[in-house]
Amino acid sequence: MIRKILIALCVFCAPATSFAFSIQNVVVLPDTPLTPQTNVQIFTAMTTPNQGAMLFMPTTVERVDNAFSIDIFLTDGMTAPATDALDETVDLGMLSAGEYSYVVRLTAGYFVNFGVREVSGTFAVVPLPGAIWLLGVALALLPGLRRFR
């Protein structure tokens, strides 16, 4: 009998937790080819099933060489708006040509369960097609080189 009472008390007094927060998808924007004049953004869609969620700290972006680390700080609770999804867009700015990697991480308040917490990927910024065309024209104008028609 005492065992049943203790189990009932444990279940009743257990801290309330939400269902799993999860990263639904991560998209590098814009979806056109990225050039050095393109403002690059990373859009993250998160699901927060049956529980309101909010950011409890500003999202942080760290860059080391060509690698970005993006931390999104989520929590749930009474003051959170009732929603099943939350989106966050991070501005990376204009990047030089090259290949870049990113990691998007969800960091939560102490009483939150998780689904997918981390997503990583890569994207490339390509040189401007116009710059390549200008280089070809400049090479064609050099003495000794002829253009074939």
Side-chain angles (χ1 to χ4, degrees):
M1 178 71 169
I2 293 176
R3 183 173 179 208
K4 289 181 181 179
I5 293 172
L6 287 174
I7 290 172
L9 280 173
C10 289
V11 169
F12 181 74
C13 296
T17 57
S18 69
F19 291 98
F21 285 179
S22 192
I23 296 176
Q24 187 175 15
N25 67 2
V26 176
V27 179
V28 178
L29 298 173
D31 57 357
T32 59
L34 302 173
T35 64
Q37 274 95 17
T38 305
N39 190 34
V40 180
Q41 297 178 326
I42 292 187
F43 171 82
T44 304
M46 297 158 281
T47 56
T48 58
N50 302 322
Q51 184 69 29
M54 65 182 182
L55 300 175
F56 71 89
M57 285 178 56
T59 299
T60 62
V61 179
E62 293 181 24
R63 180 179 176 184
V64 177
D65 296 327
N66 284 3
F68 290 94
S69 176
I70 300 164
D71 291 302
I72 301 172
F73 300 96
L74 282 180
T75 191
D76 63 356
M78 297 294 285
T79 60
T83 179
D84 287 339
L86 189 67
D87 299 333
E88 179 74 348
T89 302
V90 176
D91 189 12
L92 302 180
M94 293 185 211
L95 305 172
S96 58
E99 192 158 321
Y100 296 86
S101 63
Y102 63 86
V103 175
V104 177
R105 252 181 244 101
L106 290 183
T107 304
Y110 64 92
F111 57 99
V112 178
N113 288 329
F114 271 117
V116 177
R117 291 189 251 186
E118 189 174 289
V119 173
S120 58
T122 61
F123 63 92
V125 176
V126 296
L128 287 174
I132 295 170
W133 178 81
L134 285 174
L135 178 63
V137 169
L139 287 175
L141 296 176
L142 287 175
L145 293 178
R146 291 187 154 173
R147 288 204 279 183
F148 296 98
R149 294 182 188 201

